[in-house]
Amino acid sequence: MAPLLRMTSVVRAVCLVLGLGGCVGGGAEVESSVRGVQQGQELGEVPQVAVAEDLDPSDGVVRVRLVAERDEDGPFGVQYTYNGMSPGPTIRATRGDVVEVELVNALDAPTTIHWHGLHVPFDMDGVTWMGAPVQPGETFTYRFTVDQVGTYWYHPHFDTARQVDAGLYGAFVVESPDEPEVDADLVFVADSLDEHRGGDRHVAAGHGRNVRRWEVNGVEDGVVRVQGGQLVRARFVNVANHGYLYLNWDGDIEHIASDQGLLPSLQTPDHIGLGPGDRADVVWRVGEEGFDVWTEAYSLNGGLTYRDPIRLFRVEVDAPAPAPAMPDWPFSGLEPTPDPGYADIVYAFSGSDRTGTWRINGEAFPDVTIESFPAGEPRIIEVRNLSPSEHPFHIHGMGFEVLSVNGEAPAYYTYEDTWNLAIRDIVRLRVDSANRGDWMTHCHILEHAEDGMMTVLRVE
Ligand code: C2O
Ligand code: CU
């Protein structure tokens, strides 16, 4: 598909290179477009979010402070921030690092931080199942070792739908010394703007299902500048409460990593679906041409809709040059585990937008039956979606392999922590974890989880 925007005059503001190639300042004028952009509209730059400062780089522990506070003058109204920013600072660590995050609660409400996708010890998981949240004025220090690699994120797990909607989230990147160096490692945190963002204006289940506006790193429909000849790793995180991304751009999609790090092999899908909570890493081998990054309009009530696609941002190439070669990624080459055809644990998802009632096995958190399995013994979980809504299924504290979707094995080995169930889907998953604890297991549509679509999976 041809690019839908043509540059007329480009305001070439000085491009400050932030860290590994992010860019702020300036803007670009566009002549016309579809995807919701007005004639001649100035496009702001999509900044790279600042990387959290390591408060004491001398001792090998990544030590970060996050202050959660209320901001009356956010770009989209009242919002909650970490260190004055939404998204909060990106936390970057290397596999094997000890990470210590001091949460300072300067909000007028209790809060916590959950490390989405990271297999942290149970008492560091930021949940309030058998524990108290961090009260206003208090601090709490989370400490854990990261022994995974990939793109994760952090967010509160107390009054979660409202606090995440209000802006409390950030990316958490774990690098691996085994993966090839890139010229720019960019993080794109995408949130929907149709979710009544604002600490006071959260609207509960059943509203705003058609997401029409998105922001990326706090900017709606901006510009990302890259250099021709660069190898760019782009990490996408969907932090929306219920908005789905169905990502696409002009040119090939080279998909290298998903929720839990590198895929078993390079994938070249025709789009990437990201439900709430999901992540994907792709590679852009930048040549001469810019391109639009957009999402098809997608509704949790049944997938693609007739609405126009929504542009997330435009990628502009400074100093066009031939595209670089693809480096060698240390893909595992793993094959999918065969589905054994039975399940040890079954979770049936039911509910309805009419009633706003969302259940797992007919139960509402916290009045739930706790399923359990012994540490280190694999188990098969079947998740059935019986409701007229899609649900991104998420388990804390461990990853899971997807064995089958409606009886069919996935095309390649698929290891995730968040997996979307389309309407009527039946998926079988394999868990195998030695991480003891009472792990929240829930739908990542936060309004659904809040209403009760959340249970506990115990590793004993
Ligand atoms: Cu993003 Cu219970 O988590
Ligand atoms: Cu749901």
Side-chain angles (χ1 to χ4, degrees), residues 114-117 125 127 153-157 160 164 276-277 279 394-396 417-418 440-444 446 449 454:
H114 166 61
W115 314 96
H116 183 120
D125 199 41
V127 295
W153 63 296
Y154 61 92
H155 62 77
H157 223 282
T160 315
V164 173
R279 290 88 66 208
H394 172 53
I395 307 186
H396 289 206
D417 55 64
T418 310
M440 305 286 95
T441 299
H442 62 93
C443 173
H444 219 284
L446 297 176
M454 175 151 72

Side-chain angles (χ1 to χ4, degrees), residues 395-407:
I395 307 186
H396 289 206
M398 68 191 92
F400 53 76
E401 184 189 348
V402 180
L403 304 183
S404 68
V405 177
N406 301 322

Side-chain angles (χ1 to χ4, degrees), residues 203-370:
V203 173
H207 296 267
R209 294 188 297 276
N210 287 310
V211 168
R212 281 167 233 174
R213 295 177 59 197
W214 286 88
E215 49 149 316
V216 175
N217 297 350
V219 171
E220 185 177 10
D221 191 26
V223 170
V224 172
R225 290 193 188 288
V226 292
Q227 304 289 319
Q230 273 190 336
L231 185 72
V232 177
R233 180 177 187 151
R235 303 171 185 263
F236 288 89
V237 187
N238 182 355
V239 303
N241 279 29
H242 59 243
Y244 279 70
L245 290 170
Y246 193 93
L247 279 181
N248 209 337
W249 46 85
D250 313 308
D252 296 336
I253 293 180
E254 296 183 315
H255 186 198
I256 57 166
S258 139
D259 290 351
Q260 294 273 315
L262 284 188
L263 297 169
S265 53
L266 177 72
Q267 298 298 318
T268 52
D270 61 7
H271 72 276
I272 295 178
L274 288 184
D278 256 334
R279 290 88 66 208
D281 294 12
V282 301
V283 172
W284 292 332
R285 293 185 291 127
V286 182
E288 322 264 332
E289 300 271 328
F291 51 93
D292 287 347
V293 175
W294 73 87
T295 176
E296 299 293 337
Y298 192 99
S299 158
L300 64 94
N301 290 116
L304 291 173
T305 75
Y306 62 89
R307 290 178 191 285
D308 289 337
I310 303 149
R311 188 169 62 185
L312 299 177
F313 53 81
R314 163 123 192 109
V315 178
E316 280 298 324
V317 179
D318 289 333
M326 188 66 143
D328 249 349
W329 295 90
F331 293 121
S332 69
L334 280 175
E335 296 290 333
T337 306
D339 180 348
Y342 65 86
D344 299 298
I345 296 169
V346 174
Y347 291 130
F349 279 45
S350 63
S352 155
D353 276 315
R354 271 174 208 274
T355 57
T357 300
W358 302 99
R359 299 288 181 262
I360 296 176
N361 294 346
E363 298 175 334
F365 184 85
D367 301 317
V368 295
T369 305
I370 298 175

Side-chain angles (χ1 to χ4, degrees), residues 349 358 389-392 443-445 448-449 453:
F349 279 45
W358 302 99
S389 166
E390 305 201 358
H391 303 283
C443 173
H444 219 284
I445 290 167
H448 292 180
M453 196 170 252

Side-chain angles (χ1 to χ4, degrees), residues 138-170:
E138 287 186 354
T139 67
F140 181 85
T141 300
Y142 296 90
R143 188 185 164 97
F144 48 87
T145 304
V146 285
D147 63 358
Q148 296 156 267
V149 169
T151 305
Y152 302 88
W153 63 296
Y154 61 92
H155 62 77
H157 223 282
F158 177 85
D159 197 6
T160 315
R162 192 179 69 84
Q163 293 195 359
V164 173
D165 189 38
L168 290 181
Y169 45 71

